[in-house]
Amino acid sequence: MTLLRLILTNTQRHCIRTLIGVAGIAFGVAAMMTVVTLLQGAVNMFQRILKDDSEIIVFERHVSDLFFSNVAISDIEIMGTWPMVEQVLPSLFGLVSSEDRPVIACFGVTADSPRLKGAEWIEGNLSDFGQSRDIVLGSRAAEFLGVKLGDSAPLGHDSFPVGGIIRTENGFEDGGVFMPLAQAQEFFHKNGVASIASVSLFDDDLREAFIAKVKEGFPDLTALETEEFGNSYSQFRIIEATAWAVGGSAFLLGGLSVANTMIMSVFGRIREIAILRVNGFSPTQIASLIFGESSVITFFGVALGIGVGFGTMLVLQRVPLFQGYVDTQLHGSVLGVVVALAFVTGIGGALYPALYAMRIHPAEALRFE
Amino acid sequence: MNTCNSIKPIIEFCNLWKSFDHDRIQVLRGASLSLEAKETVALVGASGCGKSTLLHLIAGLDEPDQGVVYIEGKALNKCRELTYRLRHQIGFVFQLHNLIPNLTLRENCLIPAVAAGTNRKQAKARLERLAEATGIADRLHHRIQDLSGGERQRTALCRALMNGPQIILADEPTGSLDDVSRVRVFELLLKLMREEGITMIMATHDLDLGRRCDRVIRVQRGTLFDETSDHQPSL
Ligand SMILES: Nc1ncnc2c1ncn2[C@@H]1O[C@H](COP(=O)(O)OP(=O)(O)OP(=O)(O)O)[C@@H](O)[C@H]1O
Ligand SMILES: [Mg+2]
């Protein structure tokens, strides 16, 4: 017989009550895990689009979103002539819609884009890209638009002949549309500009020099290393903050459910707690009993929550709508934070009940039938 | 009043006052008592006269308005001292057994040992001896729900004795039992007190049983009268 045995017995005594607490924590854990992982996955995927083809990206200073960034093709051409620069590639990002897809990512690129070069060509081939109005579709996009090579794909106010279908790892790309740059400029009314320029240098050591040169030569533009871009891009930060906020709210609910469970549990055994006191339990031992019970609830909540979280992500991965868009790679650090938060809320929820239990007046409680 | 200074009383208090509800219910009005070690006392009196209140004050579960209770010459000052008193000096038995359901008899009996952090071996040895003495040895692995009232009360007694207290305070320990079990449990209680050399104060409505204790003390109008010495106040 140990304190642990007493703790376990107490949690078993009111199964339903305990289960409600466990479910609360599990809900918080699962929600936070899923939301944070999915949104982080989306951010990572977008970041990878940028990272795939360059070390540095150049975009318009002070824009809130890359979709609004305008970098003049003439400026990009100037950068291309700098001796340190191996390659500069313009990309124009846009969103188009089709009948039942309100948002499809559209990439205006040139034929030397690594996005096209690195992809697996299911139909058509790269050498034709840019020769005509033909567009290339990601395999998922071809699937949901219901088109094949040679068909005409309706996009926005126009329709385009499909000149190729590619498969890529990245959800945004695989569900996206690739247009020759000139075509995209016309379609989005952005003649003479791109959203970003992806820059590769001959030597990594030249990065700082390049960034400084852009700053000096093009005050309206910003050059950033791609990793740094990910950290400073406000959209990513907003998305991540949202993820943690949504997850945090779920946790708050979980914490409240533990608090509720523990309050019910303490109020329901005031007399019993007095008896423990009479039998030599110190107020601290009584508090550790209550905290122990909430820790047990939290432990099972975390275990269940992780299971449910993984399950949810597996299911989401299989839902056709999300296919390719869902990156369910769970980072150890996210799991660590989620588990730590679960214990903080679980223990926090037991704070008031434990204090209450410590202060139970034995003589009064013994009259309590 | 002279016995307040008698030789080595184990329990001693003088002029103890206690009221409830902002003095509207005056329960004890100058109660005094001095008990020597190993004495057994029956505390009798009408319902509501303050027997339970007095036991609570002696244990330190409640505080008197006036007066101090000394156990082995010591008064309570801190919460830690109360824990020590409840853990090592005093065992409590109630009218209702107050055992924890879902735990076995064995586990219930071991609760004071858990509180005191007694090592397993010692606790086990002590439990075996006490279970034998209280006649519950063959039921140790049963749950409380499976037991009769008498068995439950024996278990409660076993639990109260677990940490080897010098004092047992029993609040109508036989009050919820039938005639046969009542006598049996009482006899067991008295026998154990005498064998182990424990001081006992037992609140009871059963004067026949009470008379078998060393002293009978009546609570009346807030003070204590020793019925064994011709209705004199118990000092
Ligand atoms: N916390 C409290 N608040 C108000 N009144 C109380 C409180 N505790 C005890 N009393 C009152 O004090 C009086 C003495 O109560 P106590 O329980 O000590 O009596 P008792 O002698 O043990 O009675 P019984 O034989 O019925 O158990 C009663 O009138 C009771 O109502
Ligand atoms: Mg009473």
Side-chain angles (χ1 to χ4, degrees):
Chain A
M1 172 72 180
T2 55
L3 194 63
L4 183 66
R5 171 85 179 93
L6 199 56
I7 288 169
L8 290 177
T9 308
N10 283 338
T11 49
Q12 280 165 19
R13 269 158 69 187
H14 296 280
C15 279
I16 302 286
R17 205 144 76 186
T18 303
L19 282 179
I20 290 173
V22 167
I25 287 286
F27 169 71
V29 167
M32 190 157 213
M33 238 174 87
T34 320
V35 171
V36 170
T37 305
L38 288 185
L39 291 184
Q40 255 185 4
V43 167
N44 287 345
M45 229 184 276
F46 192 63
Q47 223 165 347
R48 239 179 292 139
I49 297 180
L50 302 169
K51 229 182 237 176
D52 271 356
D53 36 37
S54 66
E55 296 125 32
I56 292 182
I57 66 166
V58 179
F59 55 98
E60 189 177 347
R61 189 181 284 275
H62 304 313
V63 291
S64 63
D65 194 300
L66 285 187
F67 286 106
F68 304 127
S69 161
N70 289 324
V71 181
I73 298 293
S74 54
D75 293 348
I76 294 176
E77 280 166 358
I78 293 172
M79 288 175 213
T81 63
W82 293 349
M84 65 185 89
V85 173
E86 187 184 359
Q87 193 184 35
V88 198
L89 293 171
S91 301
L92 181 61
F93 300 133
L95 296 173
V96 292
S97 57
S98 73
E99 212 163 85
D100 54 354
R101 295 276 156 163
V103 177
I104 303 170
C106 181
F107 306 88
V109 291
T110 53
D112 32 8
S113 161
R115 278 183 255 278
L116 296 181
K117 279 185 179 166
E120 174 197 345
W121 284 73
I122 302 172
E123 293 186 80
N125 56 65
L126 180 59
S127 56
D128 297 336
F129 187 76
Q131 310 295 326
S132 58
R133 280 188 87 224
D134 287 7
I135 59 168
V136 169
L137 298 177
S139 65
R140 290 260 320 121
E143 199 178 303
F144 62 68
L145 289 171
V147 294
K148 357 181 252 301
L149 188 72
D151 287 354
S152 177
L155 294 174
H157 50 85
D158 211 339
S159 66
F160 298 85
V162 179
I165 294 173
I166 57 172
R167 195 193 317 275
T168 78
E169 288 286 298
N170 194 297
F172 287 118
E173 295 178 353
D174 207 45
V177 175
F178 295 85
M179 283 186 189
L181 181 63
Q183 189 88 15
Q185 285 170 336
E186 192 185 319
F187 186 78
F188 293 112
H189 309 292
K190 288 208 169 192
N191 289 321
V193 297
S195 306
I196 62 162
S198 313
V199 182
S200 315
L201 302 175
F202 284 112
D203 190 342
D204 283 351
D205 297 342
L206 297 168
R207 288 182 186 186
E208 276 180 26
F210 176 84
I211 289 169
K213 201 160 173 180
V214 170
K215 198 173 174 186
E216 190 189 307
F218 307 101
D220 291 342
L221 301 181
T222 302
L224 275 184
E225 296 189 28
T226 23
E227 288 101 62
E228 205 185 322
F229 173 79
N231 299 333
S232 64
Y233 188 39
S234 59
Q235 293 291 354
F236 291 173
R237 284 193 300 196
I238 290 168
I239 290 176
E240 286 192 7
T242 310
W244 286 103
V246 170
S249 310
F251 255 116
L252 204 63
L253 287 179
L256 287 177
S257 88
V258 172
N260 185 47
T261 301
M262 293 314 301
I263 286 172
M264 302 267 291
S265 161
V266 169
F267 285 9
R269 30 181 196 138
I270 287 178
R271 188 180 168 85
E272 190 179 304
I273 289 168
I275 296 293
L276 289 177
R277 183 86 182 100
V278 170
N279 278 289
F281 267 61
S282 66
T284 320
Q285 282 174 316
I286 286 170
S288 39
L289 190 69
I290 307 299
F291 282 125
E293 288 174 34
S294 81
S295 302
V296 169
I297 290 176
T298 308
F299 175 81
F300 285 104
V302 166
L304 180 66
I306 289 177
V308 171
F310 270 117
T312 312
M313 289 196 279
L314 279 182
V315 169
L316 285 182
Q317 249 175 342
R318 274 151 217 260
V319 172
L321 187 68
F322 295 120
Q323 247 161 40
Y325 285 103
V326 178
D327 176 355
T328 51
Q329 208 194 349
L330 178 67
H331 292 276
S333 57
V334 171
L335 193 61
V337 171
V338 168
V339 171
L341 272 177
F343 276 94
V344 169
T345 41
I347 306 283
L351 214 56
Y352 171 71
L355 273 179
Y356 186 93
M358 278 173 90
R359 290 186 187 153
I360 284 175
H361 191 282
E364 274 169 28
L366 287 170
R367 296 186 179 275
F368 202 86
E369 295 297 325
Chain B
M1 292 286 144
N2 53 359
T3 38
C4 274
N5 312 317
S6 70
I7 8 151
K8 286 193 183 165
I10 188 165
I11 300 173
E12 187 181 37
F13 51 85
C14 260
N15 200 18
L16 209 58
W17 288 71
K18 180 71 185 174
S19 62
F20 294 105
D21 205 9
H22 305 286
D23 289 347
R24 273 193 279 273
I25 305 172
Q26 296 232 335
V27 183
L28 297 179
R29 285 177 281 181
S32 302
L33 179 68
S34 180
L35 277 191
E36 279 168 37
K38 302 180 189 178
E39 275 191 295
T40 56
V41 173
L43 202 58
V44 298
S47 183
C49 67
K51 300 182 294 294
S52 299
T53 304
L54 182 61
L55 292 181
H56 292 165
L57 292 178
I58 295 172
L61 301 178
D62 207 352
E63 283 173 25
D65 301 333
Q66 197 185 313
V68 179
V69 177
Y70 295 94
I71 302 288
E72 290 188 310
K74 279 199 189 117
L76 279 185
N77 291 313
K78 296 181 199 131
C79 172
R80 218 176 336 123
E81 292 170 350
L82 173 60
T83 302
Y84 180 83
R85 187 183 275 190
L86 294 170
R87 200 178 270 175
H88 299 289
Q89 295 182 301
I90 290 179
F92 232 112
V93 186
F94 302 92
Q95 177 172 0
L96 297 171
H97 54 83
N98 286 313
L99 298 165
I100 298 181
N102 294 58
L103 290 182
T104 60
L105 293 202
R106 187 177 169 280
E107 290 165 334
N108 264 291
C109 292
L110 284 172
I111 282 177
V114 171
T118 316
N119 86 42
R120 243 165 222 258
K121 240 183 175 175
Q122 266 181 324
K124 192 171 166 254
R126 171 126 186 111
L127 173 62
E128 273 167 15
R129 203 172 67 74
L130 287 175
E132 204 61 55
T134 48
I136 53 166
D138 54 341
R139 318 260 0 217
L140 280 182
H141 293 284
H142 287 253
R143 281 164 189 256
I144 305 307
Q145 294 91 310
D146 309 338
L147 302 183
S148 72
E151 286 166 327
R152 290 178 196 193
Q153 212 49 303
R154 287 159 194 266
T155 310
L157 180 57
C158 185
R159 178 179 67 182
L161 292 171
M162 193 61 209
N163 286 350
Q166 298 105 304
I167 300 165
I168 285 285
L169 301 177
D171 196 350
E172 298 183 47
T174 58
S176 62
L177 303 177
D178 63 64
D179 286 348
V180 179
S181 318
R182 201 173 64 216
V183 175
R184 279 202 195 140
V185 168
F186 174 75
E187 282 173 349
L188 171 68
L189 187 62
L190 208 57
K191 177 169 155 271
L192 282 172
M193 295 306 108
R194 291 190 171 144
E195 278 174 10
E196 307 259 333
I198 297 172
T199 312
M200 173 180 78
I201 305 182
M202 177 185 74
T204 182
H205 285 287
D206 192 329
L207 206 54
D208 288 340
L209 293 184
R211 287 209 182 94
R212 293 166 66 178
C213 293
D214 299 336
R215 288 163 74 178
V216 176
I217 289 175
R218 181 170 294 278
V219 186
Q220 208 168 15
R221 292 188 300 276
T223 51
L224 307 186
F225 296 89
D226 195 333
E227 298 215 327
T228 26
S229 55
D230 281 338
H231 291 255
Q232 290 306 303
S234 71
L235 286 175

